[in-house]
Amino acid sequence: MIRLMFFMQQFPGFGGIETVTSNLAAYLHKDMEVYVFALKKVSGMPVPEGLKGIFIPGSRKRSKITRYYNEVVRRHGITHVISQGGFSKFTKVVLNPGRDKAVKVITALHGMPGYESPEFELLPQTLAARAGRGFQWKLYGWLGVTEKVLAMKKRKYCRRFSGSFRRACVEGDRMVLLSEGYIESFIASYGVERYREKVVAIPNPCPTKYEAVVPAAKESKGNEVLYVGRLSREKNVDCLLEVWSSIGKRAGWTFSVVGDGPARQELEALVREKGIREVVFEGYSVEPERFYRRAKVLLLASEFEGLPMCLLEGERFGVVPVSFDISAGVRDAVGDGGVIVPDRNAAGMASAVQELMEREEHWEEMSRRAFEHSRKFSVDAIGEQWKRLIMSL
């Protein structure tokens, strides 16, 4: 009997990793016992069907977490562990020296390889440092060493990720990436050529709750362009607003921004200052499907993305994605059901959106393709890949 345990930050939840875990657990429990070990439990949320147990360590100290983890593995006879994210603090626990080394450890990377580098540049503390906030950074600025200090901090920050990913390949049993297109860059970036056979790709599934969705008839669709996601600097929503403002003929159309985050006030101010019309900030929604049902086009311009769930979800409702060429995972998610704009060309994105707005027959064909493409990411299809991998170890 296979006894599988997911190791993650928190559970359950509305986040991408929590949703993916819930969907996979609901699929896999038919063939194995499934457990979750989470550093934090979110109360008042539904737990997926068939889950045998959720274990919460009740301490933030790694030594206590590790001790409890080893105890859970031993007591429940866990045979396989999936580390959801491969973060350093996870790897140190699931690959701790006192573990049961017969347990198979799979690490799942939910971002694009190398994402930690651009992520560092957008951390609040990095932005504050460059702005000279705080006595220490003002002093560094006066001495002219700000960039040198930040470079040192960036190397240290990135080493935490590279060390964790490399250790997961060396000591673990499989490293699962979100796209075949990530394999070569992952191997090169983290120096794991010797462990190439351990690096595989399985994409995340579209949420189970959308399995039965059929796109709405075009008559029930509104003239709406959509962004769904966090409002933070790395998402480049300001760029999307500039794209929207540059589209000449948009009377009768609306750009709806669904989400919340630290950049919201700044983005709302940008809309006011530049007089960008037909923009609605909808705020965070636990039911983005009500926006997918009525929208026609979905935009994405992030600095980095692994496999954007919003694209797969939107496509399921016949929403046509238009995205910058961010990563292999984005290209996989868009497929032939949308438009990939090369070179982060804002004018190119505006042109693609305008064509979809003006040519109804073009939008109809792309919408049909988007829906068909989304079916490749069904829970059944992706869950079966995970089942084969687990059972092969």
Side-chain angles (χ1 to χ4, degrees):
M1 166 66 76
I2 291 177
R3 295 182 178 89
L4 171 69
M5 187 165 72
F6 290 94
F7 188 104
M8 54 201 302
Q9 178 63 34
Q10 66 178 32
F11 190 83
F14 291 119
I17 293 178
E18 293 85 7
T19 300
V20 167
T21 301
S22 293
N23 292 331
L24 290 177
Y27 181 86
L28 294 170
H29 89 274
K30 295 173 288 186
D31 298 286
M32 59 194 75
E33 292 183 1
V34 182
Y35 303 82
V36 169
F37 188 106
L39 302 185
K40 176 183 176 183
K41 184 175 182 179
V42 180
S43 59
M45 296 199 60
V47 173
E49 177 189 357
L51 200 64
K52 295 285 286 185
I54 301 176
F55 306 107
I56 311 295
S59 174
R60 294 183 179 181
K61 290 186 177 180
R62 192 169 79 235
S63 60
K64 291 186 177 181
I65 293 171
T66 302
R67 192 179 310 121
Y68 182 56
Y69 167 82
N70 288 343
E71 180 185 332
V72 167
V73 168
R74 177 184 53 78
R75 188 194 319 148
H76 293 274
I78 302 299
T79 60
H80 296 69
V81 170
I82 297 176
S83 173
Q84 290 283 49
F87 306 113
S88 178
K89 63 180 179 180
F90 293 5
T91 302
K92 288 175 180 177
V93 175
V94 300
L95 293 174
N96 74 85
R99 72 187 187 278
D100 179 353
K101 294 182 174 60
V103 174
K104 303 300 181 183
V105 177
I106 303 167
T107 297
L109 175 58
H110 288 274
M112 55 184 275
Y115 76 91
E116 61 271 18
S117 179
E119 181 179 74
F120 175 85
E121 297 298 331
L122 294 165
L123 291 174
Q125 51 267 48
T126 304
L127 298 174
R130 288 210 165 94
R133 298 193 196 114
F135 173 77
Q136 182 184 44
W137 291 107
K138 286 179 181 176
L139 177 61
Y140 288 152
W142 182 75
L143 294 172
V145 297
T146 297
E147 290 304 320
K148 185 176 180 179
V149 173
L150 280 175
M152 291 171 59
K153 288 183 174 292
K154 183 175 183 177
R155 285 194 295 272
K156 183 178 179 181
Y157 181 82
C158 291
R159 274 200 302 269
R160 291 209 308 268
F161 289 84
S162 60
S164 179
F165 298 153
R166 180 173 172 78
R167 185 179 176 189
C169 289
V170 175
E171 298 182 37
D173 296 279
R174 288 293 183 275
M175 168 63 74
V176 179
L177 310 180
L178 291 172
S179 168
E180 292 280 352
Y182 289 149
I183 291 178
E184 293 305 321
S185 62
F186 179 89
I187 289 171
S189 296
Y190 304 116
V192 291
E193 177 65 42
R194 287 179 58 190
Y195 307 96
R196 173 181 289 273
E197 75 283 355
K198 293 185 180 182
V199 184
V200 299
I202 303 177
N204 283 336
C206 193
T208 308
K209 65 179 180 178
Y210 300 141
E211 287 284 290
V213 167
V214 175
K218 66 176 181 179
E219 292 78 16
S220 64
K221 287 276 192 181
N223 288 337
E224 188 169 0
V225 177
L226 197 61
Y227 166 80
V228 177
R230 181 170 164 79
L231 303 186
S232 50
R233 284 178 180 258
E234 73 274 10
K235 298 298 184 180
N236 289 331
V237 181
D238 55 340
C239 177
L240 296 181
L241 290 168
E242 296 287 354
V243 166
W244 177 248
S245 69
S246 71
I247 296 174
K249 299 177 182 178
R250 61 178 195 271
W253 284 76
T254 301
F255 180 34
S256 297
V257 179
V258 180
D260 212 337
R264 178 169 178 172
Q265 290 185 344
E266 182 181 331
L267 293 168
E268 289 177 328
L270 177 67
V271 168
R272 289 193 301 270
E273 290 165 10
K274 298 207 169 183
I276 306 173
R277 294 185 295 176
E278 294 90 31
V279 176
V280 179
F281 286 87
E282 299 282 2
Y284 174 74
S285 175
V286 297
E287 296 180 342
E289 54 266 31
R290 66 191 178 95
F291 298 100
Y292 294 139
R293 283 194 185 96
R294 72 191 196 200
K296 288 184 175 178
V297 181
L298 179 67
L299 304 184
L300 193 68
S302 309
E303 286 294 319
F304 49 89
E305 291 282 357
L307 185 77
M309 201 54 61
C310 64
L311 299 187
L312 300 181
E313 293 172 352
E315 287 175 322
R316 193 72 188 177
F317 288 83
V319 186
V320 180
V322 179
S323 173
F324 284 158
D325 191 3
I326 300 164
S327 67
V330 170
R331 293 192 290 274
D332 289 352
V334 171
D336 64 352
V339 181
I340 292 290
V341 180
D343 304 321
R344 294 190 172 270
N345 187 323
M349 177 175 278
S351 177
V353 173
Q354 185 138 33
E355 185 176 16
L356 288 163
M357 291 166 60
E358 293 178 352
R359 292 181 53 208
E360 187 171 314
E361 72 286 355
H362 175 55
W363 175 82
E364 286 183 38
E365 173 60 20
M366 294 301 290
S367 177
R368 182 191 65 78
R369 288 186 191 178
F371 172 68
E372 290 299 325
H373 180 68
S374 74
R375 297 170 73 177
K376 298 177 183 178
F377 297 87
S378 71
V379 174
D380 285 352
I382 305 306
E384 193 61 27
Q385 292 182 53
W386 271 104
K387 186 174 81 172
R388 287 198 300 267
L389 172 63
I390 293 164
M391 289 183 167
S392 72
L393 297 175

